[in-house]
Amino acid sequence: MKVRIITAVIAAALFLPIVLLGGPIFTALIYIMAAIGMFELFRMKDLPIFSFAGAISLLLLFVLLLPPSIADAVFAVTGHSKIEWVFVVVFLLLIYTVLVKNRFTFDDAAFMLLGTLYVGIGFHYFIETRDAGLTYLIFALIVVWSTDSGAYFTGRKIGKRKLWPEISPNKTVEGFIGGIIWALIAAFIIHFISPLTNSYLVLIGITIAASIFGQLGDLVESAIKRHYNVKDSGKILPGHGGILDRFDSLLFVLPLLHFLHFI
């Protein structure tokens, strides 16, 4: 626990100032974290990171992460949209399975493609949210962190009914509900300091949805790790695991907030 707390303090001290600063430095940090997260995901399945397939997956990741302002200029030059780049990578991955005589299989190609989309889309909206306004990103971070903390402490205190024991044995129904309640309290505090919407009903609905999706994102990561018999996605954060272990909830919450037109 001591190592976990020290790591959290140091990580927050390094991460939050860059979040506040925004701009190119923040974008560069997201690119680095997304690349690490993608490599963590590939490593779980023992896929060749330093290979042709890994290189084109990384290229697609960087394309997916492009902020709109830069993307417009890049696509004007290349004449291709993001979805067209996805098609190109799909075809290249499939051709690669033939060239290496199925040492890299269709299943591997599918995993790489879906993994790149999962990480790339989630972290892309990290950049999009920061560009939309610091308050929105702070809202998302606080809701996710308060949900995680609320679920943990509520589950430890009064948790009895297992939520999804086959995937995450320690999570409870009581913790799941407690996480939502803590998120609502945090959202109202943020709204009091910096109003996010004119409707309290909208604020409540968005917060509940974000809290639920955040917990589902955490369960998705747990399901992947359990399937591949991995304890943590990585070891870059002592006591916390890898990048995906820490940002799995946000990869679900940030796209959701844009989909609901809250941002």
Side-chain angles (χ1 to χ4, degrees):
M1 181 60 73
K2 183 178 180 180
V3 172
R4 188 179 179 90
I5 294 174
I6 293 174
T7 300
V9 171
I10 294 174
L14 295 173
F15 180 68
L16 291 179
I18 297 177
V19 170
L20 295 174
L21 183 63
I25 295 178
F26 176 76
T27 299
L29 175 63
I30 296 303
Y31 264 78
I32 293 170
M33 293 196 305
I36 294 172
M38 191 180 76
F39 288 157
E40 289 174 352
L41 193 61
F42 289 179
R43 189 169 53 233
M44 290 185 206
K45 199 177 186 301
D46 294 324
L47 288 172
I49 296 172
F50 299 104
S51 64
F52 173 76
I56 62 172
S57 295
L58 184 62
L59 174 62
L60 176 59
L61 176 72
F62 286 171
V63 170
L64 292 172
L65 290 173
L66 285 173
S69 57
I70 299 176
D72 291 341
V74 171
F75 298 147
V77 173
T78 63
H80 300 293
S81 65
K82 285 187 179 182
I83 190 65
E84 289 171 324
W85 279 105
V86 173
F87 291 157
V88 169
V89 170
V90 169
F91 296 145
L92 289 176
L93 287 174
L94 293 176
I95 292 170
Y96 186 62
T97 65
V98 175
L99 295 177
V100 298
K101 301 176 182 178
N102 257 351
R103 291 193 300 275
F104 178 82
T105 68
F106 181 87
D107 288 348
D108 295 333
F111 184 92
M112 272 196 163
L113 179 63
L114 183 58
T116 303
L117 292 173
Y118 162 51
V119 175
I121 292 172
F123 277 105
H124 166 77
Y125 280 105
F126 224 124
I127 299 172
E128 282 269 281
T129 305
R130 180 60 186 87
D131 288 346
L134 180 61
T135 302
Y136 292 115
L137 185 53
I138 294 298
F139 169 79
L141 290 170
I142 295 296
V143 165
V144 167
W145 290 342
S146 59
T147 295
D148 289 346
S149 299
Y152 175 75
F153 288 112
T154 304
R156 285 196 62 180
K157 189 71 175 179
I158 62 174
K160 294 180 180 180
R161 291 171 291 179
K162 297 296 181 182
L163 178 64
W164 227 305
E166 298 85 359
I167 293 176
S168 187
N170 294 326
K171 293 190 185 320
T172 63
V173 173
E174 292 81 4
F176 186 86
I177 297 172
I180 296 173
I181 294 173
W182 279 46
L184 285 169
I185 294 171
F188 274 101
I189 293 173
I190 297 170
H191 183 72
F192 178 77
I193 298 172
S194 180
L196 293 159
T197 175
N198 295 324
S199 171
Y200 282 105
L201 287 178
V202 170
L203 180 66
I204 292 171
I206 292 291
T207 302
I208 292 175
S211 181
I212 291 173
F213 263 69
Q215 295 188 70
L216 289 174
D218 183 62
L219 286 168
V220 166
E221 180 66 16
S222 296
I224 295 171
K225 291 186 293 186
R226 183 164 290 273
H227 179 72
Y228 291 107
N229 196 28
V230 175
K231 183 179 183 296
D232 294 314
S233 66
K235 300 179 180 179
I236 194 171
L237 300 170
H240 291 267
I243 292 296
L244 291 182
D245 291 313
R246 290 301 90 206
F247 291 94
D248 49 9
S249 296
L250 281 165
L251 296 185
F252 272 58
V253 170
L254 294 175
L256 172 73
L257 295 179
H258 286 264
F259 181 79
L260 296 176
H261 299 291
F262 183 67
I263 297 175

